[in-house]
Each structure stands twice: as C-alpha cells, then as structure tokens.
C-alpha cells in the first residue's frame, strides 16, 4: 500500500469575504499605489495624478505560503479599485509566470473587468469577467487584469506554487494592447509603446 509522503502543508480552510475580497488571516497583503507602478500608465497622466495624490490601485491578499514545490497550489484574491489614469483603467502590473508552462484559474467575485493576455509571439486575448466568471490563463500567456467598472473588481486566483513571477518582461516591453475608456465603454486599442516579444 503506498504511503502518504510527509509534508509540511497540512489541510486547511480560509474564509474569503466575497464582497470585499478580504481573506481572513492572510499570509501576506500587498498594496500597490500609483507610486509603486511607475512606468505602467502613460507617464504624463501618471505624473499629473501623482501630483495631487497617490491613489491605491490594487491589493493582493495571499492566503498562505506553500513550499515552492511542484504539486502545491497557492491562492490569492486581488481587489482592483475603480479609477483611471488618463483614459487607461486601473490595472495590475501583469506578469508571465517564471515557469512559463504553469497555468492559472481566475474566478470573478465582485465588480467587472477583464483579463488581458498575450503570448510572446504577439497573440492577444481579452476575457471579460464579472461575478461568477471562471477565466483560464493557459501556460505561456502573460496576464494582467483591468477594472473597467465603477466598483472594486475582485477575483480569486489559484495557481501552482512553483509558477513564480516574471515581471521584467512586461516592465521592459509592455502589453501589445491597452484597455481604455471610450464613449461607449471599454475599448481594446494597440499600445504604441509595446516593444514586442
Ligand atoms: C498570480 C496571479 C495573481 C496576481 C495578482 C496581482 O500568479 O496572477 O494573484 O499576482 O492579480 O497581479 P500582479 O501582476 O501585480 O502580480
Ligand atoms: Zn499569474
């Protein structure tokens, strides 16, 4: 009879507040203000916004810490505030996974927004999300979320513990598309400062 490997991660349960996205007794809470997101939004618009205040853009509640091992899962909630810098909606930094073949599942809890994804070959995909939307990030797709609504956009993310983060590629090259406010709602437009790859 196979034995169960001894592992430091026992079974557990966390309470997730569906309305606020707050995870009780989290391992970590990360706060991203506009000043933490230099280079993300169009520079002139961001400088103008920073001159008046330093708004909260999003928070990430990491439920637990897990061994950085294949087979383990992590989960977190993200709460993106409603708002814009110029015509660009508040959004996350975005990343590829450091282990690029690791997938992820997003589940919408509150508000509305989208999951903007791209491959290094230049394919772009936008999945619109609201409460109840389960959106899949396949392996190799860089991903960013955008709050296109007027309330906080809240979602749960579940991902392999060894996925890791590659923020550098996005910081250096950007996303091929931007999600901006148009007269009739959000629009997907090319990013003129995208540097490919
Ligand atoms: C982790 C997952 C999310 C994001 C979070 C913030 O793989 O995709 O938990 O970390 O939405 O986004 P970012 O791009 O700042 O990590
Ligand atoms: Zn991810």
């Amino acid at each position: 009879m196979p034995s169960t490997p001894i592992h430091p991660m026992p079974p557990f349960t966390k309470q997730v507040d569906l309305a606020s996205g707050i995870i009780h007794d989290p391992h970590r809470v990360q706060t991203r203000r506009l000043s933490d997101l230099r280079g993300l939004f169009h520079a002139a618009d961001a400088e103008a916004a920073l001159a008046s205040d330093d708004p909260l853009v999003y928070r990430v509640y990491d439920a637990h810490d897990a061994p950085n091992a294949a087979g383990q899962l992590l989960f977190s909630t993200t709460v993106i505030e409603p708002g814009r810098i110029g015509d660009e909606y508040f959004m996350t930094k975005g990343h590829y996974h450091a282990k690029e073949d690791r997938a992820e599942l997003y589940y919408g809890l509150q508000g509305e927004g989208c999951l903007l994804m791209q491959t290094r070959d230049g394919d772009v995909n936008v999945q619109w999300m609201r409460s109840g939307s389960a959106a899949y990030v396949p392996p190799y797709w860089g991903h960013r979320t955008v709050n296109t609504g007027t309330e906080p956009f809240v979602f749960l993310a579940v991902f392999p513990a060894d996925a890791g983060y590659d923020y550098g590629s996005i910081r250096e090259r950007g996303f091929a598309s931007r999600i901006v406010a148009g007269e009739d709602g959000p629009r997907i437009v090319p990013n003129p400062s995208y540097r490919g790859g």
Side-chain angles (χ1 to χ4, degrees):
M1 190 167 153
S3 63
T4 304
I6 295 182
H7 209 282
M9 177 65 65
F12 69 92
T13 298
K14 293 274 177 172
Q15 289 303 126
V16 180
D17 186 279
L18 298 183
S20 67
I22 290 172
I23 296 180
H24 295 281
D25 187 26
H27 163 62
R28 179 174 64 165
V29 182
Q30 300 177 78
T31 297
R32 305 288 187 220
R33 295 189 174 277
L34 184 58
S35 58
D36 301 314
L37 302 171
R38 291 188 193 281
L40 191 60
F41 298 97
H42 187 266
D45 293 332
E47 275 160 31
L50 268 175
S52 54
D53 66 351
D54 184 14
L56 171 66
V57 179
Y58 64 99
R59 280 204 171 98
V60 181
Y61 298 83
D62 291 316
H64 65 107
D65 198 13
N68 183 14
Q72 295 281 354
L73 292 174
L74 292 172
F75 67 97
S76 64
T77 52
T78 302
V79 181
I80 309 178
E81 298 297 319
R84 280 176 10 205
I85 300 296
D87 64 354
E88 199 161 21
Y89 295 104
F90 278 10
M91 59 185 169
T92 59
K93 286 197 278 189
H95 59 270
Y96 292 90
H97 290 152
K99 282 194 195 300
E100 293 206 37
D101 62 354
R102 298 306 196 252
E104 178 158 11
L105 185 78
Y106 278 25
Y107 186 74
L109 301 179
Q110 290 289 331
E112 55 193 60
C114 69
L115 176 55
L116 170 63
M117 293 179 276
Q118 70 180 22
T119 65
R120 292 190 189 271
D121 295 334
D123 291 332
V124 172
N125 189 286
V126 177
Q127 297 294 315
W128 298 97
M129 290 180 64
R130 56 187 166 80
S131 172
S133 304
Y136 182 57
V137 181
Y140 299 102
W141 285 76
H143 42 287
R144 156 180 291 165
T145 37
V146 184
N147 184 348
T148 57
T150 54
E151 306 293 329
F153 174 39
V154 183
F155 60 88
L156 177 80
V158 185
F159 49 101
D162 63 351
Y165 301 88
D166 167 13
Y167 289 109
S169 297
I170 303 294
R171 192 169 49 239
E172 287 157 23
R173 299 175 196 134
F175 267 79
S177 297
R178 297 167 4 118
I179 311 294
V180 300
E183 283 183 10
D184 303 322
R187 296 173 54 222
I188 306 165
V189 298
N191 177 9
S193 40
Y194 175 57
R195 291 163 64 192

mmCIF file with all atom_site columns, all heavy atoms in Angstrom, residues 144-166:
data_model
loop_
_atom_site.group_PDB
_atom_site.id
_atom_site.type_symbol
_atom_site.label_atom_id
_atom_site.label_alt_id
_atom_site.label_comp_id
_atom_site.label_asym_id
_atom_site.label_entity_id
_atom_site.label_seq_id
_atom_site.pdbx_PDB_ins_code
_atom_site.Cartn_x
_atom_site.Cartn_y
_atom_site.Cartn_z
_atom_site.occupancy
_atom_site.B_iso_or_equiv
_atom_site.pdbx_formal_charge
_atom_site.auth_seq_id
_atom_site.auth_comp_id
_atom_site.auth_asym_id
_atom_site.auth_atom_id
_atom_site.pdbx_PDB_model_num
ATOM 1   N N   . ARG A 1 144 ? -2.681  40.186 -17.213 1.00 0.00 ? 144 ARG A N   1
ATOM 2   C CA  . ARG A 1 144 ? -2.922  41.421 -16.453 1.00 0.00 ? 144 ARG A CA  1
ATOM 3   C C   . ARG A 1 144 ? -4.435  41.554 -16.310 1.00 0.00 ? 144 ARG A C   1
ATOM 4   O O   . ARG A 1 144 ? -5.168  41.166 -17.217 1.00 0.00 ? 144 ARG A O   1
ATOM 5   C CB  . ARG A 1 144 ? -2.356  42.601 -17.241 1.00 0.00 ? 144 ARG A CB  1
ATOM 6   C CG  . ARG A 1 144 ? -2.994  43.941 -16.912 1.00 0.00 ? 144 ARG A CG  1
ATOM 7   C CD  . ARG A 1 144 ? -2.393  45.059 -17.728 1.00 0.00 ? 144 ARG A CD  1
ATOM 8   N NE  . ARG A 1 144 ? -1.021  45.311 -17.327 1.00 0.00 ? 144 ARG A NE  1
ATOM 9   C CZ  . ARG A 1 144 ? -0.145  46.028 -18.031 1.00 0.00 ? 144 ARG A CZ  1
ATOM 10  N NH1 . ARG A 1 144 ? -0.517  46.545 -19.197 1.00 0.00 ? 144 ARG A NH1 1
ATOM 11  N NH2 . ARG A 1 144 ? 1.064   46.220 -17.590 1.00 0.00 ? 144 ARG A NH2 1
ATOM 12  N N   . THR A 1 145 ? -4.892  42.116 -15.189 1.00 0.00 ? 145 THR A N   1
ATOM 13  C CA  . THR A 1 145 ? -6.327  42.347 -15.018 1.00 0.00 ? 145 THR A CA  1
ATOM 14  C C   . THR A 1 145 ? -6.600  43.837 -14.945 1.00 0.00 ? 145 THR A C   1
ATOM 15  O O   . THR A 1 145 ? -5.771  44.624 -14.463 1.00 0.00 ? 145 THR A O   1
ATOM 16  C CB  . THR A 1 145 ? -6.858  41.644 -13.755 1.00 0.00 ? 145 THR A CB  1
ATOM 17  O OG1 . THR A 1 145 ? -5.885  41.730 -12.740 1.00 0.00 ? 145 THR A OG1 1
ATOM 18  C CG2 . THR A 1 145 ? -7.190  40.199 -14.032 1.00 0.00 ? 145 THR A CG2 1
ATOM 19  N N   . VAL A 1 146 ? -7.784  44.210 -15.404 1.00 0.00 ? 146 VAL A N   1
ATOM 20  C CA  . VAL A 1 146 ? -8.154  45.616 -15.568 1.00 0.00 ? 146 VAL A CA  1
ATOM 21  C C   . VAL A 1 146 ? -9.562  45.811 -15.000 1.00 0.00 ? 146 VAL A C   1
ATOM 22  O O   . VAL A 1 146 ? -10.466 45.032 -15.323 1.00 0.00 ? 146 VAL A O   1
ATOM 23  C CB  . VAL A 1 146 ? -8.155  45.980 -17.079 1.00 0.00 ? 146 VAL A CB  1
ATOM 24  C CG1 . VAL A 1 146 ? -8.447  47.458 -17.265 1.00 0.00 ? 146 VAL A CG1 1
ATOM 25  C CG2 . VAL A 1 146 ? -6.842  45.591 -17.746 1.00 0.00 ? 146 VAL A CG2 1
ATOM 26  N N   . ASN A 1 147 ? -9.732  46.826 -14.171 1.00 0.00 ? 147 ASN A N   1
ATOM 27  C CA  . ASN A 1 147 ? -11.064 47.156 -13.649 1.00 0.00 ? 147 ASN A CA  1
ATOM 28  C C   . ASN A 1 147 ? -11.727 48.143 -14.596 1.00 0.00 ? 147 ASN A C   1
ATOM 29  O O   . ASN A 1 147 ? -11.348 49.318 -14.646 1.00 0.00 ? 147 ASN A O   1
ATOM 30  C CB  . ASN A 1 147 ? -10.973 47.745 -12.240 1.00 0.00 ? 147 ASN A CB  1
ATOM 31  C CG  . ASN A 1 147 ? -12.352 47.994 -11.641 1.00 0.00 ? 147 ASN A CG  1
ATOM 32  O OD1 . ASN A 1 147 ? -13.363 47.935 -12.337 1.00 0.00 ? 147 ASN A OD1 1
ATOM 33  N ND2 . ASN A 1 147 ? -12.385 48.279 -10.347 1.00 0.00 ? 147 ASN A ND2 1
ATOM 34  N N   . THR A 1 148 ? -12.735 47.674 -15.339 1.00 0.00 ? 148 THR A N   1
ATOM 35  C CA  . THR A 1 148 ? -13.420 48.553 -16.290 1.00 0.00 ? 148 THR A CA  1
ATOM 36  C C   . THR A 1 148 ? -14.742 49.070 -15.736 1.00 0.00 ? 148 THR A C   1
ATOM 37  O O   . THR A 1 148 ? -15.507 49.696 -16.463 1.00 0.00 ? 148 THR A O   1
ATOM 38  C CB  . THR A 1 148 ? -13.682 47.802 -17.611 1.00 0.00 ? 148 THR A CB  1
ATOM 39  O OG1 . THR A 1 148 ? -14.460 46.623 -17.317 1.00 0.00 ? 148 THR A OG1 1
ATOM 40  C CG2 . THR A 1 148 ? -12.379 47.400 -18.285 1.00 0.00 ? 148 THR A CG2 1
ATOM 41  N N   . GLY A 1 149 ? -15.008 48.793 -14.458 1.00 0.00 ? 149 GLY A N   1
ATOM 42  C CA  . GLY A 1 149 ? -16.284 49.181 -13.871 1.00 0.00 ? 149 GLY A CA  1
ATOM 43  C C   . GLY A 1 149 ? -16.165 50.360 -12.923 1.00 0.00 ? 149 GLY A C   1
ATOM 44  O O   . GLY A 1 149 ? -15.135 51.056 -12.873 1.00 0.00 ? 149 GLY A O   1
ATOM 45  N N   . THR A 1 150 ? -17.228 50.555 -12.174 1.00 0.00 ? 150 THR A N   1
ATOM 46  C CA  . THR A 1 150 ? -17.263 51.688 -11.239 1.00 0.00 ? 150 THR A CA  1
ATOM 47  C C   . THR A 1 150 ? -17.173 51.243 -9.782  1.00 0.00 ? 150 THR A C   1
ATOM 48  O O   . THR A 1 150 ? -17.222 52.066 -8.877  1.00 0.00 ? 150 THR A O   1
ATOM 49  C CB  . THR A 1 150 ? -18.580 52.491 -11.436 1.00 0.00 ? 150 THR A CB  1
ATOM 50  O OG1 . THR A 1 150 ? -19.686 51.584 -11.319 1.00 0.00 ? 150 THR A OG1 1
ATOM 51  C CG2 . THR A 1 150 ? -18.612 53.148 -12.802 1.00 0.00 ? 150 THR A CG2 1
ATOM 52  N N   . GLU A 1 151 ? -17.083 49.934 -9.565  1.00 0.00 ? 151 GLU A N   1
ATOM 53  C CA  . GLU A 1 151 ? -16.925 49.356 -8.224  1.00 0.00 ? 151 GLU A CA  1
ATOM 54  C C   . GLU A 1 151 ? -15.592 48.622 -8.194  1.00 0.00 ? 151 GLU A C   1
ATOM 55  O O   . GLU A 1 151 ? -15.007 48.350 -9.239  1.00 0.00 ? 151 GLU A O   1
ATOM 56  C CB  . GLU A 1 151 ? -18.060 48.349 -7.942  1.00 0.00 ? 151 GLU A CB  1
ATOM 57  C CG  . GLU A 1 151 ? -19.452 48.901 -8.121  1.00 0.00 ? 151 GLU A CG  1
ATOM 58  C CD  . GLU A 1 151 ? -19.775 49.963 -7.081  1.00 0.00 ? 151 GLU A CD  1
ATOM 59  O OE1 . GLU A 1 151 ? -19.247 49.866 -5.953  1.00 0.00 ? 151 GLU A OE1 1
ATOM 60  O OE2 . GLU A 1 151 ? -20.520 50.903 -7.400  1.00 0.00 ? 151 GLU A OE2 1
ATOM 61  N N   . PRO A 1 152 ? -15.110 48.247 -6.996  1.00 0.00 ? 152 PRO A N   1
ATOM 62  C CA  . PRO A 1 152 ? -13.903 47.413 -6.969  1.00 0.00 ? 152 PRO A CA  1
ATOM 63  C C   . PRO A 1 152 ? -14.123 46.119 -7.768  1.00 0.00 ? 152 PRO A C   1
ATOM 64  O O   . PRO A 1 152 ? -15.217 45.542 -7.734  1.00 0.00 ? 152 PRO A O   1
ATOM 65  C CB  . PRO A 1 152 ? -13.712 47.116 -5.473  1.00 0.00 ? 152 PRO A CB  1
ATOM 66  C CG  . PRO A 1 152 ? -14.350 48.283 -4.777  1.00 0.00 ? 152 PRO A CG  1
ATOM 67  C CD  . PRO A 1 152 ? -15.545 48.627 -5.629  1.00 0.00 ? 152 PRO A CD  1
ATOM 68  N N   . PHE A 1 153 ? -13.110 45.721 -8.507  1.00 0.00 ? 153 PHE A N   1
ATOM 69  C CA  . PHE A 1 153 ? -13.129 44.454 -9.251  1.00 0.00 ? 153 PHE A CA  1
ATOM 70  C C   . PHE A 1 153 ? -12.345 43.447 -8.408  1.00 0.00 ? 153 PHE A C   1
ATOM 71  O O   . PHE A 1 153 ? -11.164 43.654 -8.127  1.00 0.00 ? 153 PHE A O   1
ATOM 72  C CB  . PHE A 1 153 ? -12.503 44.662 -10.626 1.00 0.00 ? 153 PHE A CB  1
ATOM 73  C CG  . PHE A 1 153 ? -12.338 43.409 -11.453 1.00 0.00 ? 153 PHE A CG  1
ATOM 74  C CD1 . PHE A 1 153 ? -13.316 42.416 -11.462 1.00 0.00 ? 153 PHE A CD1 1
ATOM 75  C CD2 . PHE A 1 153 ? -11.222 43.228 -12.242 1.00 0.00 ? 153 PHE A CD2 1
ATOM 76  C CE1 . PHE A 1 153 ? -13.166 41.270 -12.236 1.00 0.00 ? 153 PHE A CE1 1
ATOM 77  C CE2 . PHE A 1 153 ? -11.060 42.096 -13.020 1.00 0.00 ? 153 PHE A CE2 1
ATOM 78  C CZ  . PHE A 1 153 ? -12.032 41.117 -13.015 1.00 0.00 ? 153 PHE A CZ  1
ATOM 79  N N   . VAL A 1 154 ? -13.055 42.391 -7.997  1.00 0.00 ? 154 VAL A N   1
ATOM 80  C CA  . VAL A 1 154 ? -12.500 41.433 -7.038  1.00 0.00 ? 154 VAL A CA  1
ATOM 81  C C   . VAL A 1 154 ? -12.497 40.049 -7.669  1.00 0.00 ? 154 VAL A C   1
ATOM 82  O O   . VAL A 1 154 ? -13.524 39.616 -8.210  1.00 0.00 ? 154 VAL A O   1
ATOM 83  C CB  . VAL A 1 154 ? -13.355 41.398 -5.752  1.00 0.00 ? 154 VAL A CB  1
ATOM 84  C CG1 . VAL A 1 154 ? -12.737 40.459 -4.722  1.00 0.00 ? 154 VAL A CG1 1
ATOM 85  C CG2 . VAL A 1 154 ? -13.541 42.792 -5.172  1.00 0.00 ? 154 VAL A CG2 1
ATOM 86  N N   . PHE A 1 155 ? -11.371 39.365 -7.607  1.00 0.00 ? 155 PHE A N   1
ATOM 87  C CA  . PHE A 1 155 ? -11.334 37.990 -8.133  1.00 0.00 ? 155 PHE A CA  1
ATOM 88  C C   . PHE A 1 155 ? -10.371 37.142 -7.317  1.00 0.00 ? 155 PHE A C   1
ATOM 89  O O   . PHE A 1 155 ? -9.477  37.653 -6.628  1.00 0.00 ? 155 PHE A O   1
ATOM 90  C CB  . PHE A 1 155 ? -10.942 37.985 -9.621  1.00 0.00 ? 155 PHE A CB  1
ATOM 91  C CG  . PHE A 1 155 ? -9.600  38.583 -9.916  1.00 0.00 ? 155 PHE A CG  1
ATOM 92  C CD1 . PHE A 1 155 ? -8.436  37.834 -9.881  1.00 0.00 ? 155 PHE A CD1 1
ATOM 93  C CD2 . PHE A 1 155 ? -9.489  39.940 -10.207 1.00 0.00 ? 155 PHE A CD2 1
ATOM 94  C CE1 . PHE A 1 155 ? -7.194  38.398 -10.148 1.00 0.00 ? 155 PHE A CE1 1
ATOM 95  C CE2 . PHE A 1 155 ? -8.253  40.517 -10.463 1.00 0.00 ? 155 PHE A CE2 1
ATOM 96  C CZ  . PHE A 1 155 ? -7.099  39.746 -10.429 1.00 0.00 ? 155 PHE A CZ  1
ATOM 97  N N   . LEU A 1 156 ? -10.608 35.853 -7.403  1.00 0.00 ? 156 LEU A N   1
ATOM 98  C CA  . LEU A 1 156 ? -9.762  34.847 -6.759  1.00 0.00 ? 156 LEU A CA  1
ATOM 99  C C   . LEU A 1 156 ? -8.866  34.230 -7.829  1.00 0.00 ? 156 LEU A C   1
ATOM 100 O O   . LEU A 1 156 ? -9.324  34.001 -8.959  1.00 0.00 ? 156 LEU A O   1
ATOM 101 C CB  . LEU A 1 156 ? -10.670 33.772 -6.153  1.00 0.00 ? 156 LEU A CB  1
ATOM 102 C CG  . LEU A 1 156 ? -10.012 32.570 -5.483  1.00 0.00 ? 156 LEU A CG  1
ATOM 103 C CD1 . LEU A 1 156 ? -9.546  32.936 -4.080  1.00 0.00 ? 156 LEU A CD1 1
ATOM 104 C CD2 . LEU A 1 156 ? -11.006 31.406 -5.407  1.00 0.00 ? 156 LEU A CD2 1
ATOM 105 N N   . ALA A 1 157 ? -7.610  33.990 -7.493  1.00 0.00 ? 157 ALA A N   1
ATOM 106 C CA  . ALA A 1 157 ? -6.683  33.331 -8.428  1.00 0.00 ? 157 ALA A CA  1
ATOM 107 C C   . ALA A 1 157 ? -6.109  32.091 -7.752  1.00 0.00 ? 157 ALA A C   1
ATOM 108 O O   . ALA A 1 157 ? -5.737  32.141 -6.575  1.00 0.00 ? 157 ALA A O   1
ATOM 109 C CB  . ALA A 1 157 ? -5.561  34.290 -8.826  1.00 0.00 ? 157 ALA A CB  1
ATOM 110 N N   . VAL A 1 158 ? -6.058  31.002 -8.498  1.00 0.00 ? 158 VAL A N   1
ATOM 111 C CA  . VAL A 1 158 ? -5.480  29.750 -7.999  1.00 0.00 ? 158 VAL A CA  1
ATOM 112 C C   . VAL A 1 158 ? -4.389  29.324 -8.979  1.00 0.00 ? 158 VAL A C   1
ATOM 113 O O   . VAL A 1 158 ? -4.641  29.257 -10.192 1.00 0.00 ? 158 VAL A O   1
ATOM 114 C CB  . VAL A 1 158 ? -6.545  28.638 -7.889  1.00 0.00 ? 158 VAL A CB  1
ATOM 115 C CG1 . VAL A 1 158 ? -5.934  27.392 -7.258  1.00 0.00 ? 158 VAL A CG1 1
ATOM 116 C CG2 . VAL A 1 158 ? -7.751  29.108 -7.089  1.00 0.00 ? 158 VAL A CG2 1
ATOM 117 N N   . PHE A 1 159 ? -3.200  29.063 -8.460  1.00 0.00 ? 159 PHE A N   1
ATOM 118 C CA  . PHE A 1 159 ? -2.068  28.828 -9.355  1.00 0.00 ? 159 PHE A CA  1
ATOM 119 C C   . PHE A 1 159 ? -1.033  27.909 -8.698  1.00 0.00 ? 159 PHE A C   1
ATOM 120 O O   . PHE A 1 159 ? -0.959  27.827 -7.466  1.00 0.00 ? 159 PHE A O   1
ATOM 121 C CB  . PHE A 1 159 ? -1.419  30.154 -9.771  1.00 0.00 ? 159 PHE A CB  1
ATOM 122 C CG  . PHE A 1 159 ? -1.118  31.104 -8.637  1.00 0.00 ? 159 PHE A CG  1
ATOM 123 C CD1 . PHE A 1 159 ? 0.172   31.221 -8.131  1.00 0.00 ? 159 PHE A CD1 1
ATOM 124 C CD2 . PHE A 1 159 ? -2.118  31.887 -8.071  1.00 0.00 ? 159 PHE A CD2 1
ATOM 125 C CE1 . PHE A 1 159 ? 0.454   32.090 -7.089  1.00 0.00 ? 159 PHE A CE1 1
ATOM 126 C CE2 . PHE A 1 159 ? -1.840  32.762 -7.015  1.00 0.00 ? 159 PHE A CE2 1
ATOM 127 C CZ  . PHE A 1 159 ? -0.565  32.865 -6.533  1.00 0.00 ? 159 PHE A CZ  1
ATOM 128 N N   . PRO A 1 160 ? -0.230  27.212 -9.518  1.00 0.00 ? 160 PRO A N   1
ATOM 129 C CA  . PRO A 1 160 ? 0.789   26.319 -8.962  1.00 0.00 ? 160 PRO A CA  1
ATOM 130 C C   . PRO A 1 160 ? 1.803   27.094 -8.124  1.00 0.00 ? 160 PRO A C   1
ATOM 131 O O   . PRO A 1 160 ? 2.241   28.184 -8.500  1.00 0.00 ? 160 PRO A O   1
ATOM 132 C CB  . PRO A 1 160 ? 1.454   25.710 -10.196 1.00 0.00 ? 160 PRO A CB  1
ATOM 133 C CG  . PRO A 1 160 ? 0.458   25.895 -11.299 1.00 0.00 ? 160 PRO A CG  1
ATOM 134 C CD  . PRO A 1 160 ? -0.264  27.170 -10.990 1.00 0.00 ? 160 PRO A CD  1
ATOM 135 N N   . ALA A 1 161 ? 2.195   26.502 -7.000  1.00 0.00 ? 161 ALA A N   1
ATOM 136 C CA  . ALA A 1 161 ? 3.089   27.211 -6.076  1.00 0.00 ? 161 ALA A CA  1
ATOM 137 C C   . ALA A 1 161 ? 4.467   27.478 -6.680  1.00 0.00 ? 161 ALA A C   1
ATOM 138 O O   . ALA A 1 161 ? 5.158   28.394 -6.245  1.00 0.00 ? 161 ALA A O   1
ATOM 139 C CB  . ALA A 1 161 ? 3.237   26.398 -4.793  1.00 0.00 ? 161 ALA A CB  1
ATOM 140 N N   . ASP A 1 162 ? 4.844   26.701 -7.673  1.00 0.00 ? 162 ASP A N   1
ATOM 141 C CA  . ASP A 1 162 ? 6.173   26.921 -8.267  1.00 0.00 ? 162 ASP A CA  1
ATOM 142 C C   . ASP A 1 162 ? 6.085   27.767 -9.542  1.00 0.00 ? 162 ASP A C   1
ATOM 143 O O   . ASP A 1 162 ? 7.068   27.863 -10.274 1.00 0.00 ? 162 ASP A O   1
ATOM 144 C CB  . ASP A 1 162 ? 6.867   25.577 -8.551  1.00 0.00 ? 162 ASP A CB  1
ATOM 145 C CG  . ASP A 1 162 ? 6.103   24.738 -9.570  1.00 0.00 ? 162 ASP A CG  1
ATOM 146 O OD1 . ASP A 1 162 ? 4.965   25.101 -9.931  1.00 0.00 ? 162 ASP A OD1 1
ATOM 147 O OD2 . ASP A 1 162 ? 6.655   23.696 -9.993  1.00 0.00 ? 162 ASP A OD2 1
ATOM 148 N N   . ALA A 1 163 ? 4.932   28.404 -9.805  1.00 0.00 ? 163 ALA A N   1
ATOM 149 C CA  . ALA A 1 163 ? 4.795   29.203 -11.034 1.00 0.00 ? 163 ALA A CA  1
ATOM 150 C C   . ALA A 1 163 ? 5.765   30.395 -11.021 1.00 0.00 ? 163 ALA A C   1
ATOM 151 O O   . ALA A 1 163 ? 6.427   30.682 -12.018 1.00 0.00 ? 163 ALA A O   1
ATOM 152 C CB  . ALA A 1 163 ? 3.359   29.691 -11.199 1.00 0.00 ? 163 ALA A CB  1
ATOM 153 N N   . GLY A 1 164 ? 5.832   31.110 -9.925  1.00 0.00 ? 164 GLY A N   1
ATOM 154 C CA  . GLY A 1 164 ? 6.720   32.268 -9.833  1.00 0.00 ? 164 GLY A CA  1
ATOM 155 C C   . GLY A 1 164 ? 6.244   33.426 -10.706 1.00 0.00 ? 164 GLY A C   1
ATOM 156 O O   . GLY A 1 164 ? 5.177   33.360 -11.326 1.00 0.00 ? 164 GLY A O   1
ATOM 157 N N   . TYR A 1 165 ? 7.050   34.489 -10.733 1.00 0.00 ? 165 TYR A N   1
ATOM 158 C CA  . TYR A 1 165 ? 6.652   35.725 -11.431 1.00 0.00 ? 165 TYR A CA  1
ATOM 159 C C   . TYR A 1 165 ? 7.793   36.223 -12.306 1.00 0.00 ? 165 TYR A C   1
ATOM 160 O O   . TYR A 1 165 ? 8.926   36.341 -11.846 1.00 0.00 ? 165 TYR A O   1
ATOM 161 C CB  . TYR A 1 165 ? 6.334   36.833 -10.422 1.00 0.00 ? 165 TYR A CB  1
ATOM 162 C CG  . TYR A 1 165 ? 5.228   36.472 -9.459  1.00 0.00 ? 165 TYR A CG  1
ATOM 163 C CD1 . TYR A 1 165 ? 5.514   35.811 -8.273  1.00 0.00 ? 165 TYR A CD1 1
ATOM 164 C CD2 . TYR A 1 165 ? 3.907   36.803 -9.743  1.00 0.00 ? 165 TYR A CD2 1
ATOM 165 C CE1 . TYR A 1 165 ? 4.510   35.478 -7.380  1.00 0.00 ? 165 TYR A CE1 1
ATOM 166 C CE2 . TYR A 1 165 ? 2.888   36.484 -8.853  1.00 0.00 ? 165 TYR A CE2 1
ATOM 167 C CZ  . TYR A 1 165 ? 3.197   35.822 -7.677  1.00 0.00 ? 165 TYR A CZ  1
ATOM 168 O OH  . TYR A 1 165 ? 2.200   35.484 -6.802  1.00 0.00 ? 165 TYR A OH  1
ATOM 169 N N   . ASP A 1 166 ? 7.497   36.522 -13.549 1.00 0.00 ? 166 ASP A N   1
ATOM 170 C CA  . ASP A 1 166 ? 8.419   37.277 -14.399 1.00 0.00 ? 166 ASP A CA  1
ATOM 171 C C   . ASP A 1 166 ? 7.742   38.611 -14.685 1.00 0.00 ? 166 ASP A C   1
ATOM 172 O O   . ASP A 1 166 ? 6.895   38.705 -15.574 1.00 0.00 ? 166 ASP A O   1
ATOM 173 C CB  . ASP A 1 166 ? 8.699   36.505 -15.693 1.00 0.00 ? 166 ASP A CB  1
ATOM 174 C CG  . ASP A 1 166 ? 9.400   37.368 -16.737 1.00 0.00 ? 166 ASP A CG  1
ATOM 175 O OD1 . ASP A 1 166 ? 9.885   38.471 -16.377 1.00 0.00 ? 166 ASP A OD1 1
ATOM 176 O OD2 . ASP A 1 166 ? 9.449   36.963 -17.914 1.00 0.00 ? 166 ASP A OD2 1
#
